[in-house]
Amino acid sequence: MSARTSFAKSVVLSEDFLGMSGGAQFLYFALCMRADDDGFVDNPKPIMSKISTTEVELSELVSKKYIIPFDDGVVAIRHWFVNNRIRKDTYIPSVHQDKKRVILGAGRSKEYMDPLDNLPPGNRVDQGGNEVSQEVPPRKKVL
């Protein structure tokens, strides 16, 4: 986990972010503070419990595209590299490199891209596991 975490004004002062509930905003800040150097949080549930937020706020962050959830409970902060610049000499790679490869943006994008955003509706991963499920790590279904 990085010793310092920053927040870009372009992210946290945007109309979209400020339009979210206070609980969702607070959860976003708490998740960012506990993310590893690649922007992954292993399990948001204990964090949510400590700050008294619920699945509702987590779902709000997912629907507004501020986090990307995975089936195993891991979440990725979509704007991690917009918010943070980790020094190369202190960088510790995430244990979630498989997930990072899937959500890295094309080119020099600083924003993680959800691979499900660009798929036609018929090709999305479902609970039964479509053909896409071999290419994309399992995703967590958030209520």
Side-chain angles (χ1 to χ4, degrees):
M1 179 176 5
S2 178
R4 296 177 187 244
T5 301
S6 300
F7 296 97
K9 289 180 183 179
S10 62
V11 175
V12 299
L13 294 180
S14 68
E15 288 294 320
D16 198 35
F17 187 84
L18 294 174
M20 289 191 300
S21 69
Q25 292 177 28
F26 186 41
L27 179 57
Y28 179 77
F29 289 123
L31 291 173
C32 287
M33 294 304 296
R34 289 166 179 86
D36 65 20
D37 286 354
D38 285 320
F40 288 88
V41 180
D42 285 326
N43 186 359
K45 299 280 187 200
I47 298 166
M48 293 166 57
S49 176
K50 281 187 175 185
I51 64 171
S52 300
T53 55
T54 65
E55 292 285 333
V56 173
E57 287 87 6
L58 188 67
S59 295
E60 192 173 352
L61 289 173
V62 172
S63 69
K64 294 286 190 170
K65 301 184 186 300
Y66 282 90
I67 62 171
I68 300 171
F70 292 90
D71 197 30
D72 58 1
V74 173
V75 296
I77 309 298
R78 182 182 291 264
H79 303 97
W80 182 254
F81 295 111
V82 174
N83 289 331
N84 295 284
R85 292 186 185 101
I86 308 296
R87 290 181 15 206
K88 290 183 193 253
D89 62 331
T90 62
Y91 170 73
I92 300 170
S94 175
V95 297
H96 303 290
Q97 293 300 307
D98 57 331
K99 293 173 179 67
K100 183 180 176 185
R101 280 190 293 276
V102 170
I103 63 175
L104 274 176
R108 297 189 46 84
S109 174
K110 290 185 175 184
E111 186 176 318
Y112 284 139
M113 307 304 284
D114 189 336
L116 299 181
D117 286 348
N118 297 326
L119 293 177
N123 291 340
R124 292 186 181 272
V125 176
D126 62 10
Q127 296 296 6
N130 276 340
E131 70 277 355
V132 178
S133 64
Q134 289 90 28
E135 299 171 21
V136 178
R139 300 297 304 280
K140 181 175 185 174
K141 183 175 181 179
V142 177
L143 302 174

